[in-house]
Amino acid sequence: MLNERIKELRIAMNISQVKLGEELGVSKQCVSNWENDNIQPSIDMLVKIAQFFHVSCDYLLGLSFDRVIDVSNLSDEQIAHINALVNDLSNK
């Protein structure tokens, strides 16, 4: 599950394995190995991956299907717009 989530999130952000590796301080080969389920990231790296993608470690590990967006720096009006957008997209 972890390998699939990393790949799905990376592709959704339209970034390469090279770019993800650069952002996390690891090689492209390391990212490739995670995505191919050859090796598992360390716990510290799992946290870095979760922070980079703005998801929980539980989500990455397949323990939760909830995805959250940090809106703590947004105004109430901006949050309302995001909620409306999410609702519109959910109804399609």
Side-chain angles (χ1 to χ4, degrees), residues 22 28-29 63 69 81 89:
E22 289 172 355
K28 179 243 185 238
Q29 186 63 37
L63 300 174
I69 299 172
H81 285 295
L89 292 172

Side-chain angles (χ1 to χ4, degrees), residues 19-68:
K19 179 65 175 168
L20 179 57
E22 289 172 355
E23 292 290 332
L24 298 173
V26 299
S27 67
K28 179 243 185 238
Q29 186 63 37
C30 189
V31 174
S32 176
N33 280 324
W34 295 336
E35 291 184 0
N36 290 313
D37 209 19
N38 295 327
I39 61 171
Q40 301 294 315
S42 68
I43 293 172
D44 290 339
M45 185 56 64
L46 180 68
V47 171
K48 285 179 77 171
I49 294 166
Q51 290 171 335
F52 177 79
F53 287 120
H54 305 286
V55 297
S56 68
C57 290
D58 282 352
Y59 178 80
L60 287 175
L61 296 171
L63 300 174
S64 168
F65 294 98
D66 297 335
R67 293 188 60 187
V68 296

